[in-house]
Structure formats: C-alpha cells, structure tokens
Amino acid sequence: MAAAAASSSLVRRAAAAASSRLLHARAFASGGGEKAKRVLVPVAAGTEPIEAAATADVLNRAGARVTVATADPPGDDGLVVEAAYGVKLVADARVADLEGKAFDLIALPGGMPGSVNLRDCKALEKMVKNHAENGGLYGAICAAPAATLAYWGMLKGLKATCYPSFMEKFTAEVIPVNSRVVVDRNAVTSQGPGTAIEFALALVERLYGKEKMEEVAGPLYVRPQHGIEYTIEELNSVEWKCSGTPQVLVPVANGSEEMEAINLIDVLRRAGANVTVASVEENLQIVTRRHKFNLIADMMLDEAAEMQFDLIVMPGGLQGAQKFANTKKLVDLLKKQAESNKPYGAICASPAHVLEPHGLLKGKKATAFPPTSHLLTDQSACEHRVVVDGNLITSRAPGTATEFSLAIVEKLLGRDKAISIAKELIFM
C-alpha cells in the first residue's frame, strides 16, 4: 500500500526538518508575557492516537509549549512513530535527547503496546521519577496508569483510575477508583480515549486554574454530560449501503484539526472500516492545525481519486477546510459522491467552508462550527451536535468528533456496533 512511502528517506528528512523548526520556534514561545508552561507528551509504537492528540491539542490551546517526544529506539524512520490503528505521526524529539530538560507536566497517553513501550524506556522512567520527586505534575490515561506509572511505583498510596480491564493490574499500593478522571496530589489519571478531553482539561486546570480550563473548554464544545449514550439528529433517513468492508476516504491538509482527523481514522478503523488517509498537499506529511501531530498520510489524493469509496468525510480546521475548498479534485470527488447518492460528510469548519460554497448542502440540513454557522444557507439544525440528512453527515467541533465518528459507524455498520465501540472507548 502507498502508506509504505512514509518510510522513504524523503519523508524522513522532511519530518526531521519540520520537527526541528517547530521545536526551535517553541523554544522562544511565551504565554501572555509569562514563561510558557512546558509539557512533555511521550509517544511510542502502539500509542493510542486519540489520547495523545487530545492531550497535546488541549494543552496547546491553554498556552502550554508542548513537546511530543518518541520513546522508541532510534530506527530508519527517524522521528516517525506508528501509533495504534495505523496512525503515523512525527514527533518533535526523542525522549533520550531531553535528559536534563525541565517540564511543568509530563502526560502519558495509553494504548497497547504503547504503554508497555513507554514503560520500557529507561530514559523516560528516570525523567518521570525525577520530575515527580521534585513535585512536578504528572498524568497518565488508559492502560498507562497501571502498565506504566504503577509499574514504576509512582502511584503508591494514591487514588487512581485506568482502563477498566487494567484495574486488576494495579499494584497493591494503589487505591483504585472507577471514575473517568481522578486527581490525587500531583497525579492525574483517566480511563480511555472517550475520556481524553476530560483528562486534558483536568491537566489544564491543575496547570492554569479553573478559569483557563473553562476558557479552553468553550470552543471545543465538549459533551454537556459525560458517559451517556450519544444522540444523532437524523432527517430523511436512508440506508447507507456498502458491499463488504466499508471503504472510507479521509482527506487531510495542512491546518486540518488533528483531534477530528484522528478520531475519524481511529474510530472507523477500530470498527473495521478500511480508512484511506489522503493528502491534498504536495507530500504525505501534514502539519495539523495545532502543529502537535505532523501526520503521515497513506497516499496522495491523486492516487485515492482512482479508487471507489462508500464514504468521503472531512475533518475541520479553518486552514485545512480552505485548502479542501480550493482542491478541485477533492471537490469533484465530493460532487460525484453526492450525485451518486453515496454518503459524504464534514465537521467543524468544513461544512461551511467546503460543502456550502460548492452546493453540497443544497436542500440539506447541516450543522457546523458555531462561529462559521452563519455561512450556512439553512441554519435550522445548527444547534445539534451531529446531524444526518439522508446521505449527508455533519458535526460541530473537536468536542463532538467522537460522536460524529460513532454516528458514521452506526450508519455504516449498525447501532449495536457503534454502541460496542463507544463502550470500548469509555465514551459511554
């Protein structure tokens, strides 16, 4: 498959150069005249991408200077990390090269074998232990509280939570709590991909205070009630047909919103769909909106355009949406999809900036990122988090991305499958 191109020397050199530039720029970053809080998000092969992306993205929104560092041993792929569900991302640095660097927070995403790979990184273990001994804030989510922090002896006497099936792996010194997020002293733990935004916001609150946390949470449009079943506003219900495994195209561009793109890729692949991530740029590496996850696409859009898809669905992010709108080949694919009565969709800025101006919302109800919803001709459904109108699906923001992805699973594979995935994510 064309994803193998991600390992080419050209991509490796581009990845290393981009990461070097970003890290250099962050070295001079500051927040409102104050020294920016420094956050380390270590990643490794098998890391859960939703958890890593949400943590980095939300903390960046708060003004933190986030470094995503690979704990993997050096290899031919440079800083490219193959996270879970085939998500390829480019780290900013290596954990081993950060020895002696001070951070205000170290936050570990989960996933398997990602958590074990983090656990086995001696440089990371030393760094986190020194950080904690100096009173630093640290956290972990999903399998990582049990498989990594508890294994290192860093949750002794503390209340903590983790992915439910890993609770029994807590050492005897840990006080297990079945809660979505647990804060005890300087340790913050959480349960899984479906609690990742809650986890990240809890970290923001500990670093910056409640007011900043609420400021960051607002534009995300997080769920008003966590842990309940998701709902869809559906009109003109039709069956979304596919023969066999659903074939899904997720285009990405520089400036695409990483939480939305990664949710689509992760959740749909988790459900068994064959997801093709296609770059509309001039190369496979994509610099996402928050510059935290430089994604490696599976193939270029030109190659994907020769394939047939049961669904085409776009993430948001203003810059990415504008690139989509100006990419004729993608617009032509979307129009052909709509004319064939095959499903298509978008989230956040993309309904207003891609679908609306190209006539792809004509006669349809849709929702979009609230600050862009005035651009929709028909705004009557804009208050809903996810809207399905026939073969069209739209959604609002990063905080609705999991519901959006689950709604797609439901339409393609049935409600039972979607509920099963939602429970696996600890979304409900």
Side-chain angles (χ1 to χ4, degrees):
M1 186 173 174
S7 297
S8 70
S9 60
L10 180 62
V11 170
R12 291 199 304 273
R13 289 197 299 271
S19 293
S20 176
R21 290 194 298 271
L22 286 169
L23 205 54
H24 181 72
R26 288 174 198 159
F28 295 95
S30 64
E34 299 177 359
K35 186 178 180 181
K37 300 286 188 182
R38 291 160 297 182
V39 175
L40 174 65
V41 178
V43 294
T47 286
E48 168 50 61
I50 290 177
E51 295 163 359
T55 302
D57 185 313
V58 171
L59 283 156
N60 179 263
R61 288 168 185 263
R65 191 171 77 230
V66 180
T67 298
V68 177
T70 174
D72 288 338
D76 292 340
D77 284 346
L79 295 174
V80 176
V81 176
E82 181 140 4
Y85 301 102
V87 174
K88 286 188 173 71
L89 54 92
V90 185
D92 302 319
R94 293 193 175 281
V95 168
D97 295 333
L98 298 176
E99 186 175 357
K101 301 291 184 182
F103 292 92
D104 298 285
L105 163 67
I106 301 177
L108 279 58
M112 289 296 285
S115 297
V116 170
N117 289 332
L118 294 181
R119 180 197 73 192
D120 292 343
C121 177
K122 296 302 180 184
L124 180 62
E125 179 181 359
K126 180 180 177 181
M127 184 181 296
V128 178
K129 284 182 174 178
N130 288 340
H131 175 77
E133 287 170 3
N134 291 322
L137 178 66
Y138 60 100
I141 184 171
C142 194
T148 311
L149 291 185
Y151 183 89
W152 289 340
M154 296 186 61
L155 296 177
K156 289 181 179 179
L158 298 180
K159 295 177 181 177
T161 192
C162 67
Y163 195 74
S165 64
F166 276 76
M167 283 285 201
E168 62 186 24
K169 298 183 184 297
F170 271 139
T171 55
E173 299 91 347
V174 182
I175 304 166
V177 179
N178 184 17
S179 183
R180 295 174 69 81
V181 179
V182 174
V183 180
D184 192 350
R185 283 179 261 178
N186 278 4
V188 181
T189 53
S190 190
Q191 292 191 311
T195 69
I197 292 179
E198 297 157 70
F199 172 63
L201 289 172
L203 294 171
V204 170
E205 184 169 2
R206 287 302 306 274
L207 275 181
Y208 292 99
K210 186 176 181 181
E211 184 177 349
K212 171 60 74 173
M213 180 274 288
E214 291 174 344
E215 175 189 321
V216 171
L220 294 173
Y221 294 89
V222 295
R223 301 183 82 196
Q225 291 179 284
H226 298 298
I228 62 171
E229 284 198 23
Y230 69 92
T231 59
I232 307 170
E233 177 68 14
E234 184 162 15
L235 309 128
N236 304 312
S237 179
V238 298
E239 182 183 357
W240 288 12
K241 297 179 180 179
C242 57
S243 55
T245 301
Q247 305 296 313
V248 180
L249 173 64
V250 177
V252 288
N254 292 335
S256 286
E257 172 56 61
E258 58 262 46
M259 273 200 280
E260 295 163 358
I262 288 175
N263 255 281
L264 285 165
I265 300 163
D266 183 312
V267 174
L268 293 175
R269 284 180 176 165
R270 190 185 290 260
N274 183 15
V275 179
T276 298
V277 184
S279 169
V280 303
E281 302 291 349
E282 294 182 357
N283 51 56
L284 291 174
Q285 184 172 338
I286 297 298
V287 181
T288 57
R289 179 176 177 268
R290 293 282 160 184
H291 306 287
K292 290 294 158 286
F293 278 80
N294 296 319
L295 296 174
I296 304 294
D298 298 326
M299 62 181 67
M300 302 300 294
L301 183 67
D302 284 352
E303 184 178 352
E306 303 302 317
M307 302 163 63
Q308 296 293 317
F309 294 98
D310 298 301
L311 168 71
I312 301 174
V313 60
M314 295 175 291
L318 180 58
Q319 182 187 345
Q322 290 172 337
K323 177 67 176 183
F324 291 156
N326 292 319
T327 301
K328 184 177 184 300
K329 185 157 287 187
L330 176 60
V331 172
D332 288 346
L333 284 174
L334 287 163
K335 287 182 175 179
K336 183 178 178 182
Q337 192 84 355
E339 289 164 2
S340 302
N341 293 316
K342 296 171 72 174
Y344 62 101
I347 184 173
C348 196
S350 288
H353 285 278
V354 187
L355 300 182
E356 177 68 38
H358 289 291
L360 289 159
L361 296 183
K362 188 175 182 180
K364 299 279 191 180
K365 303 287 186 184
T367 190
F369 188 53
T372 71
S373 61
H374 67 283
L375 299 173
L376 303 187
T377 301
D378 184 344
Q379 300 169 30
S380 61
C382 284
E383 75 277 12
H384 297 291
R385 295 174 67 80
V386 180
V387 176
V388 178
D389 188 346
N391 61 336
L392 169 71
I393 184 166
T394 54
S395 190
R396 301 183 95 193
T400 70
T402 303
E403 293 151 89
F404 181 53
S405 302
L406 290 169
I408 291 170
V409 173
E410 179 173 337
K411 290 299 297 181
L412 290 174
L413 298 167
R415 178 78 176 177
D416 288 347
K417 182 66 173 180
I419 293 296
S420 172
I421 297 296
K423 290 179 178 178
E424 180 183 328
L425 295 168
I426 320 297
F427 189 71
M428 53 170 283

